[in-house]
């Protein structure tokens, strides 16, 4: 049943009861919608400014989830960053597989799309990083030109995921007492409660994000950022309690 709560904005409306899918509330409509649009604009500004090319459509969906569905597990930092990273890998492998099996044939695109999403789904589930928008990240390379070299595109998408997570957390923090995190998290008191591996991974990814932003001035810093951003799918996993 859909709940409707169209009253003046108040802190009480930014709770699970009124700020989740299935609830029509003024807080979610206004704050979530403005936040989603603003967040994608921030991603685009950073991408253009730094020359780090990303796929905007799937990140747009992540921006929506990060501002209007913040209580869902798929909105957690690990899911966003690792999901986009590993789905890009799956998508590119699917493209190469489709070309190898059906290159030049009528079924080539269909096979590419199928393999891309299949592999992305497998990888996301293995790494416990389910993030639905990342399925689009996997599919796009099968049908459209990509904005970066295939070897660096997964890292660029991890970078885009970091932008989405960081600015989404900052935006939500304005109204939420604390951006919704995990109830049994080991790290508390920051912008979002997280497990230790996830918190450590987010710190590493943030450093990688900052280094990659220096691409117009320092190729070496950008390269170091690529190495640091390579850690999302490793460090954010359940490596330690």
């Amino acid at each position: 049943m859909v709940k409707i709560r169209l009253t003046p904005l108040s802190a009480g409306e930014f709770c699970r009861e009124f700020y989740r899918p299935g609830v029509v509330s003024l807080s979610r409509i206004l704050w979530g919608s403005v936040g989603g649009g603003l967040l994608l604009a921030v991603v685009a500004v950073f991408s253009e400014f730094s020359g780090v090319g990303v796929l905007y459509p799937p990140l747009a969906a992540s921006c929506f989830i990060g501002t209007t569905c913040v209580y869902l597990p798929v909105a957690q930092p690990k899911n966003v960053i690792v999901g986009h990273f590993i789905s890009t890998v799956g998508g590119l492998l699917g493209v190469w597989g489709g070309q190898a099996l059906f290159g030049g044939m009528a079924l080539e695109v269909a096979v590419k799309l199928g393999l891309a999403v299949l592999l992305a789904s497998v990888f996301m589930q293995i790494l416990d990083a389910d993030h639905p928008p990342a399925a689009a990240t996997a599919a796009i390379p099968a049908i459209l030109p990509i904005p970066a070299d295939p070897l660096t595109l997964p890292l660029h998408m991890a970078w885009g995921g970091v932008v989405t997570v960081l600015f989404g957390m900052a935006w939500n923090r304005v109204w939420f007492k604390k951006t919704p995190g995990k109830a049994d998290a080991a790290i508390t008191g920051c912008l979002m409660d997280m497990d230790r591996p996830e918190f450590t991974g987010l710190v590493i990814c943030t450093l990688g994000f900052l280094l990659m932003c220096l691409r117009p001035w320092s190729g070496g810093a950008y390269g170091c950022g690529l190495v640091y951003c390579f850690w999302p799918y490793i460090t954010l996993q359940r490596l330690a309690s």
Side-chain angles (χ1 to χ4, degrees):
M1 179 182 295
V2 175
K3 291 186 177 181
I4 299 178
R5 172 94 170 191
L6 297 180
T7 59
L9 292 179
S10 65
E13 281 200 279
F14 290 82
C15 61
R16 189 181 299 271
E17 183 181 359
F18 298 114
Y19 206 94
R20 62 173 177 78
V23 176
V24 180
S25 64
L26 190 59
S27 59
R28 188 162 178 259
I29 291 173
L30 293 182
W31 195 254
S33 301
V34 172
L38 182 61
L39 185 51
L40 185 61
V42 168
V43 173
V45 167
F46 270 83
S47 179
E48 294 298 321
F49 175 77
S50 64
V52 180
V54 295
L55 302 172
Y56 290 118
L59 289 175
S62 296
C63 291
F64 170 80
I65 288 176
T67 56
T68 65
C69 305
V70 295
Y71 286 101
L72 296 182
V74 294
Q76 296 299 305
K78 183 188 77 170
N79 295 68
V80 178
I81 301 170
V82 178
H84 281 299
F85 176 88
I86 202 63
S87 290
T88 309
V89 174
L92 293 172
L93 289 175
V95 169
W96 293 331
Q99 289 175 339
L101 294 172
F102 293 92
M105 300 175 64
L107 290 176
E108 180 180 355
V109 173
V111 172
K112 286 180 182 178
L113 288 169
L115 285 176
V117 175
L118 184 154
L119 291 173
S121 299
V122 169
F123 294 160
M124 281 193 284
Q125 292 178 78
I126 290 175
L127 295 178
D128 190 26
D130 297 353
H131 189 62
T137 299
I140 288 175
I143 55 176
L144 295 174
I146 57 177
D149 184 272
L151 292 178
T152 59
L153 183 62
L155 306 173
H156 282 208
M157 289 306 295
W159 178 92
V162 174
V163 182
T164 303
V165 166
L166 293 179
F167 285 87
M169 289 169 62
W171 177 259
N172 292 328
R173 182 64 178 81
V174 175
W175 268 108
F176 288 101
K177 206 171 174 184
K178 185 183 291 182
T179 302
K182 296 181 177 178
D184 58 347
I187 303 294
T188 60
C190 55
L191 290 177
M192 176 185 286
D193 294 340
M194 289 176 272
D195 295 333
R196 288 186 188 280
E198 190 167 11
F199 178 79
T200 303
L202 183 57
V203 171
I204 292 174
C205 291
T206 300
L207 178 57
F209 155 73
L210 294 173
L211 290 172
M212 288 175 69
C213 284
L214 298 177
R215 185 179 190 183
W217 303 279
S218 174
Y222 166 75
C224 289
L226 288 176
V227 174
Y228 274 110
C229 263
F230 185 66
W231 284 93
Y233 84 108
I234 300 175
T235 311
L236 297 185
Q237 302 313 303
R238 294 166 285 185
L239 299 181
S241 301

